[in-house]
Amino acid sequence: MRRILSILAVSSVLLLAGCATKTRSDALTTTLTAYGSTLRWGDFQSAAQFIEPAARAAHPMSKLDIARYQQVRVSEYDAGAGPVPTGDFDVQQTAQISIVNLHTQSERTIVDHQTWHYDEKTKHWWLTSGLPDITQD
């Protein structure tokens, strides 16, 4: 009887861990899809809402940052192979973003190295690496 209870307890823990992992994975997929869509529309101010709240409060977007983001249009967003786990609650993703300067109509592609962290308390994935650097050559 003790052995059966032991097996049931271990099975329950593994089942709950599996559910937690699936929930976390589903949340990641939803978050990355929403973030990618937001960037595809060129809505950088809304994309800033994906940044971890403490980091967003510590480093708010300046007027210069906002002006720079308003100067470009996103023509393509490609997340490539998708996220790569770097720990239980962290993933990295590299995206190539093609942007067009509205004044010169020149297009260039930047590489955005994203780091995402899962907050267990809020059950939410947060971008910890910040918005793409559109000033890179």
Side-chain angles (χ1 to χ4, degrees):
M1 183 67 161
R2 214 181 243 178
R3 184 172 186 174
I4 292 173
L5 289 176
S6 233
I7 291 171
L8 285 175
V10 170
S11 298
S12 297
V13 168
L14 291 175
L15 183 61
L16 288 175
C19 289
T21 302
K22 173 133 175 56
T23 299
R24 197 167 53 236
S25 177
D26 290 348
L28 177 63
T29 301
T30 301
T31 300
L32 293 179
T33 300
Y35 180 74
S37 294
T38 302
L39 282 185
R40 280 184 191 93
W41 282 103
D43 189 355
F44 289 96
Q45 287 187 305
S46 292
Q49 300 306 306
F50 288 86
I51 297 172
E52 193 271 325
R56 191 173 57 233
H59 306 286
M61 286 177 56
S62 68
K63 288 183 181 183
L64 179 59
D65 292 332
I66 293 169
R68 282 183 178 145
Y69 286 125
Q70 289 174 340
Q71 184 177 314
V72 298
R73 180 177 57 86
V74 174
S75 58
E76 184 177 0
Y77 178 89
D78 181 8
V84 176
T86 57
D88 288 342
F89 301 103
D90 297 291
V91 298
Q92 290 183 340
Q93 175 171 266
T94 300
Q96 292 195 8
I97 305 169
S98 297
I99 55 175
V100 176
N101 182 306
L102 296 176
H103 303 292
T104 64
Q105 291 299 300
S106 61
E107 183 178 40
R108 61 194 173 93
T109 300
I110 61 172
V111 177
D112 183 30
H113 300 282
Q114 304 166 6
T115 304
W116 294 86
H117 176 75
Y118 185 73
D119 182 351
E120 285 189 285
K121 290 180 185 176
T122 63
K123 306 285 189 229
H124 194 19
W125 284 93
W126 295 107
L127 179 63
T128 59
S129 55
L131 292 179
D133 177 9
I134 62 169
T135 63
Q136 63 181 289
D137 287 328

